[in-house]
Amino acid sequence: MDSLDLAIIDQLEQDGRLTNQELASRVGLTPAPCLRRVRRLEAEGVITGYAATVDPTALGRGFEVIIHADLVAKDLATVEAFESRLTAMPEVAELRRMFGLPDYFIRVQVTDSAAFERWLTTQLLGDPAIARVDSRITMKLLKLRR
């Protein structure tokens, strides 16, 4: 991967809807070699897809909470069952199994604090695998790399 590939990736991360003509112009290539590079980056799995960026507030998910969660037990059956339950929940926008503490980083998006309280008490705290939960409410999102 060279500096042109990195420039292509940077431009597409900023705007995945760029036409090949626009992209080529921005990175200093003619359209044909630019398209070849994009296709190669896709074939190599560097570019894995294109997506729309959606405003969570417009979808009723503008209240975001970051949760650190620890499990009671770390056996494979408990871990797999917990992860399966959480990945199926529409409120869970991101779920990461961590090295060290906490066991999980969970990003939840709901309508408001009342919706979060309902979800937390009925869904997460009611889960038999949960030992401890620590919630953090986002004050202001300063940077998000998609």
Side-chain angles (χ1 to χ4, degrees), residues 1-12:
M1 194 170 329
D2 62 16
S3 61
L4 284 172
D5 289 338
L6 294 173
I8 289 169
I9 291 165
D10 180 58
Q11 290 299 313
L12 289 175

Side-chain angles (χ1 to χ4, degrees), residues 12-127:
L12 289 175
E13 281 184 322
Q14 291 178 47
D15 184 356
R17 294 183 59 152
L18 286 174
T19 67
N20 185 57
Q21 288 284 122
E22 291 171 308
L23 179 60
S25 174
R26 289 185 185 189
V27 299
L29 287 172
T30 57
C34 183
L35 184 58
R36 281 194 299 273
R37 283 176 177 263
V38 170
R39 296 290 183 244
R40 180 180 47 79
L41 291 167
E42 291 170 345
E44 292 174 354
V46 175
I47 297 174
T48 58
Y50 300 88
T53 303
V54 179
D55 178 5
T57 303
L59 300 177
R61 300 185 312 218
F63 189 80
E64 184 171 280
V65 181
I66 305 299
I67 299 170
H68 292 174
D70 293 314
L71 300 187
V72 173
K74 313 292 195 293
D75 62 278
L76 185 59
T78 301
V79 166
E80 287 179 344
F82 175 75
E83 290 175 359
S84 179
R85 285 190 297 274
L86 261 69
T87 56
M89 294 179 183
E91 298 87 354
V92 176
E94 183 177 351
L95 176 63
R96 296 174 184 243
R97 185 188 317 160
M98 308 300 288
F99 284 108
L101 297 174
D103 293 333
Y104 289 90
F105 172 97
I106 308 164
R107 187 165 54 93
V108 175
Q109 293 176 329
V110 292
T111 307
D112 54 26
S113 62
F116 174 69
E117 190 272 334
R118 276 190 309 278
W119 179 85
L120 181 68
T121 56
T122 63
Q123 300 295 312
L124 190 61
L125 294 178
D127 193 304

Side-chain angles (χ1 to χ4, degrees), residues 119-145:
W119 179 85
L120 181 68
T121 56
T122 63
Q123 300 295 312
L124 190 61
L125 294 178
D127 193 304
I130 288 291
R132 189 182 72 78
V133 169
D134 182 29
S135 301
R136 308 275 186 212
I137 298 172
T138 300
M139 180 186 300
K140 180 180 181 182
L141 179 62
L142 300 170
K143 180 178 180 180
L144 176 64
R145 179 178 226 162

